[in-house]
Amino acid sequence: AHFDLGILYAKDKRYEQAVSELQQAIKLDPQRADAHYRLAEVYRAQGKRELAQNELSKVSQIQQQERDKLLREFPEPASAAPEK
């Protein structure tokens, strides 16, 4: 619910409320990349470049962790591995 409210507030340019709701969504699920991304968009709209960049960095880290997890769970078959 916090995530959805954050999006609605952001669309309505009620940025302070959007930040509050998105931060609550992140507290509930810190690994939710889309919440960090939306928060970065709000910070960017507010002109808070450093905060926006920090959130985008978190998005990148979360996505990398997800890729690494998938690669561990579903390793590439030996026949598909590049030859050395």
Side-chain angles (χ1 to χ4, degrees):
H2 291 293
F3 178 74
D4 293 333
L5 279 172
I7 291 171
L8 292 173
Y9 283 137
K11 286 182 180 180
D12 201 29
K13 298 183 184 193
R14 295 169 62 184
Y15 297 128
E16 291 305 316
Q17 293 96 332
V19 167
S20 178
E21 293 297 334
L22 291 168
Q23 287 174 337
Q24 287 297 319
I26 290 167
K27 283 181 185 177
L28 292 171
D29 184 0
Q31 293 300 109
R32 187 167 182 177
D34 55 345
H36 288 283
Y37 181 81
R38 294 292 186 145
L39 185 55
E41 287 184 323
V42 172
Y43 284 146
R44 184 180 51 82
Q46 291 178 308
K48 298 177 179 179
R49 292 175 156 246
E50 189 173 324
L51 291 173
Q53 187 60 43
N54 185 42
E55 291 303 318
L56 290 175
S57 293
K58 291 176 185 175
V59 171
S60 181
Q61 290 170 354
I62 292 166
Q63 290 174 337
Q64 184 62 50
Q65 290 169 356
E66 288 297 315
R67 280 192 294 273
D68 292 346
K69 180 181 174 187
L70 283 173
L71 287 173
R72 284 190 304 275
E73 291 176 11
F74 303 101
E76 202 172 315
S79 61
E83 294 185 30
K84 292 184 180 180

